[in-house]
Amino acid sequence: INDYDDTIYAHAARLTMAKLYVARSNYDKAETALRYVALHSPMNALRQIAHIRIARLFSAKKMYDKALVELK
């Protein structure tokens, strides 16, 4: 990822890494990976997916207000 940081492939890899982090209950690292994609991906679809997944993380933590803000 570090060598190809600005590519869509790196952003897709971060989405996959976030999924693995969630499977291991490492929600903070998952949010970090998703937040990077949400802020830096040149592809609108990947940014939207990242925002939705961040909202799902907040919802799982019962942080419903933050989840709603993330979806706006």
Side-chain angles (χ1 to χ4, degrees):
I1 291 176
N2 294 333
D3 291 339
Y4 301 97
D5 197 39
D6 293 331
T7 66
I8 292 173
Y9 299 109
H11 298 294
R14 282 187 178 85
L15 292 176
T16 302
M17 284 177 26
K19 184 177 179 179
L20 294 173
Y21 288 140
V22 168
R24 295 183 180 150
S25 300
N26 196 338
Y27 302 117
D28 292 334
K29 283 190 175 185
E31 184 181 349
T32 300
L34 292 169
R35 184 71 59 200
Y36 187 91
V37 174
L39 295 175
H40 296 99
S41 180
M43 190 173 186
N44 189 41
L46 291 181
R47 287 194 312 270
Q48 291 174 346
I49 290 168
H51 283 294
I52 291 168
R53 290 183 182 179
I54 292 168
R56 288 173 61 192
L57 281 176
F58 285 143
S59 181
K61 294 182 191 179
K62 298 188 186 320
M63 301 169 79
Y64 304 117
D65 292 337
K66 284 189 174 185
L68 287 173
V69 169
E70 193 65 39
L71 293 174
K72 291 183 181 180

